[in-house]
Amino acid sequence: MDMNRNPYLLRIGGEDCPASSGQTFDSLNPATGSPWARVAAATQADVDRAVTVARAAFEAPTWHGLTATQRGRLLTRLGDAIAARADEIAALETRENGKLYREMLGHLRLIPEWLYYFGGLADKLEGSVIPVNRPEMLTYTRHEPLGVTAIISPWNSPVLITMMMASAALAAGNTIVVKPSEHTTAGPLEVLRMAESVGFPPGVVNVLPGGPDIGAALVNHPLVAKIGFTGSSATGKRIASIAGARLASCTLELGGKSPNIVFADADLDAAEAGVLAGIFAATGQTCIAGSRLLVEDSIYDRFMERLIARARAIRVGDPMDQDSQMGPVATRAQLDCIEQFVEQARRAGSTVAVGGSRIAVPSLPNGFFYAPTILEDVDNSSAIAQEEVFGPVLATMRFRTEAE
């Protein structure tokens, strides 16, 4: 799709429809820094409509009346449909978030396995018979779906994380309203638009492109029984607070500041590979990125020399190019954020051993590229060691003993 074609639309009740306001927003290609598509911008009125449709679909016999085995078969068919378009959708995701095409293709080949797993699990959600001291009574439990589940997915792995949440929700018999990141809407939309074509009743799967206000409207909606969210810890805390106040369930996958710890007796080849992959794969844009590195003092200099040399050699470039080892940062705002974190670390006394700045890729001069960066002399209490950067920035520290 390009800017001259029709925009990506909302998906409500099995139909593509414009936002009630008629407004749209641009989707940017981070490798070029330029708009490549238009996306309909949902409103709070659209949220109410989508949730109402999803609730009606939940109660309708066309969905609620299906057996668990029948639901499972629909999930399996959706997995097959996604597998058939894996190459196309992977390229779409790369265009939207800048991650390497081969990584996105790996995601698209994994997603059907999630659907096959939960499709098989659907009719194995068993209750139990509970023995009680009343022989004239039969006491048992059964699992029932909650209702409408809101899924708010991030821009770093949009289709994978959306379908991880959606597959479980649908297997249990819920209906869903998905709010993908405003930066990565096309991939989730293309995947979820296939639901009706494989037999899901209209209204079971709905998609609302839009910004944080749309996510907030879903979290606050009284007909939303469950919220699945992947994103920042700060936003997750707000969602948990709102959900708790109205006794809605929520499942949160939030950010982290994961450490790698390398002792002197480690296999340094394996440690080096693990550290590099942990922070520079996906341009450091994962919630499990190994963004801190603690190295035992006796091997620190030798190990860091190896890491720095390898970081300098990383090929940063077009994410569609098979020779590229790292692509751009997903958004201009995130690029600015990374730059600010590194500058703040410099002011706090950290040393930039390699990288530490934006870089220009000759064939993509306006792309959102940042150099693989390693910081030394980091204080563990500093912001760079405590806060999630979500970029290709490694904060390193020495230690002398295991107790330390």
Side-chain angles (χ1 to χ4, degrees):
M1 183 173 183
D2 60 43
M3 295 295 289
N4 296 319
R5 299 186 185 178
N6 294 327
Y8 284 97
L9 301 175
L10 318 184
R11 185 75 175 175
I12 301 175
E15 297 181 352
D16 295 328
C17 52
S20 58
S21 65
Q23 293 184 343
T24 62
F25 59 90
D26 290 341
S27 177
L28 299 184
N29 181 337
T32 65
S34 300
W36 72 276
R38 301 285 290 173
V39 181
T43 66
Q44 293 205 14
D46 296 319
V47 171
D48 191 58
R49 180 184 166 211
V51 173
T52 301
V53 165
R55 181 66 198 186
F58 172 72
E59 295 172 347
T62 50
W63 177 248
H64 207 67
L66 294 181
T67 66
T69 301
Q70 289 171 322
R71 289 199 308 269
R73 287 173 181 163
L74 291 178
L75 287 168
T76 299
R77 289 179 204 155
L78 183 57
D80 289 341
I82 293 170
R85 295 181 59 194
D87 291 11
E88 171 197 348
I89 296 168
L92 196 61
E93 286 207 281
T94 293
R95 185 183 293 183
E96 281 201 300
N97 73 359
K99 290 173 81 171
L100 298 180
Y101 171 72
R102 61 177 177 270
E103 179 185 350
M104 293 292 92
L105 184 58
H107 285 192
L108 265 297
R109 289 174 175 166
L110 177 64
I111 288 163
E113 299 297 327
W114 278 89
L115 289 157
Y116 300 154
Y117 175 84
F118 282 100
L121 186 64
D123 57 6
K124 299 167 187 67
L125 302 174
E126 301 171 348
S128 58
V129 176
I130 302 168
V132 294
N133 193 28
R134 297 288 298 274
E136 74 278 13
M137 295 179 63
L138 174 65
T139 303
Y140 65 93
T141 64
R142 57 177 288 176
H143 296 287
E144 295 190 358
L146 293 170
V148 179
T149 297
I151 294 173
I152 304 171
S153 58
W155 43 258
N156 61 328
S157 298
V159 175
L160 179 71
I161 293 175
T162 295
M163 297 311 297
M164 284 170 61
M165 293 188 277
S167 56
L170 293 169
N174 300 285
T175 56
I176 62 173
V177 179
V178 176
K179 204 295 284 186
S181 167
E182 63 272 29
H183 303 295
T184 51
T185 299
L189 257 174
E190 286 293 337
V191 166
L192 294 168
R193 285 180 75 250
M194 291 189 269
E196 288 81 19
S197 69
V198 300
F200 281 87
V204 171
V205 176
N206 308 275
V207 190
L208 293 176
D213 58 323
I214 301 307
L218 282 169
V219 171
N220 282 284
H221 201 288
L223 290 182
V224 170
K226 169 75 184 256
I227 301 131
F229 170 77
T230 300
S232 74
S233 298
T235 302
K237 289 177 182 178
R238 291 196 295 272
I239 289 173
S241 176
I242 294 167
R246 62 182 191 84
L247 298 180
S249 299
C250 64
T251 298
L252 309 174
E253 183 192 357
L254 308 179
K257 195 67 182 175
S258 306
N260 291 295
I261 305 174
V262 182
F263 286 87
D265 61 352
D267 177 339
L268 295 190
D269 289 339
E272 177 187 312
V275 169
L276 289 166
I279 188 58
F280 298 129
T283 319
Q285 298 170 119
T286 68
C287 54
I288 56 170
S291 53
R292 287 188 293 156
L293 172 63
L294 290 80
V295 184
E296 192 166 354
D297 189 67
S298 62
I299 61 164
Y300 179 89
D301 291 335
R302 177 161 49 106
F303 189 64
M304 291 305 300
E305 184 178 347
R306 296 171 58 150
L307 282 182
I308 292 166
R310 286 285 299 277
R312 283 200 179 101
I314 291 172
R315 293 189 295 274
V316 181
D318 185 345
M320 291 298 295
D321 188 337
Q322 290 296 316
D323 291 331
S324 295
Q325 295 174 313
M326 200 175 90
V329 174
T331 72
R332 184 178 282 112
Q334 189 60 29
L335 182 62
D336 292 341
C337 179
I338 294 166
E339 195 169 47
Q340 291 165 12
F341 263 113
V342 173
E343 182 54 37
Q344 183 182 25
R346 279 193 176 104
R347 292 197 302 269
S350 297
T351 303
V352 177
V354 63
S357 64
R358 304 186 188 203
I359 55 176
V361 172
S363 60
L364 298 165
N366 298 315
F368 307 150
F369 294 95
Y370 197 87
T373 298
I374 298 177
L375 300 173
E376 296 189 273
D377 305 314
V378 172
D379 186 322
N380 194 46
S381 64
S382 65
I384 199 70
Q386 294 293 319
E387 298 181 25
E388 187 179 35
V389 177
F390 222 66
V393 179
L394 179 65
T396 67
M397 291 157 274
R398 299 172 184 260
F399 72 91
R400 289 180 297 281
T401 67
E402 184 172 349
E404 182 189 353

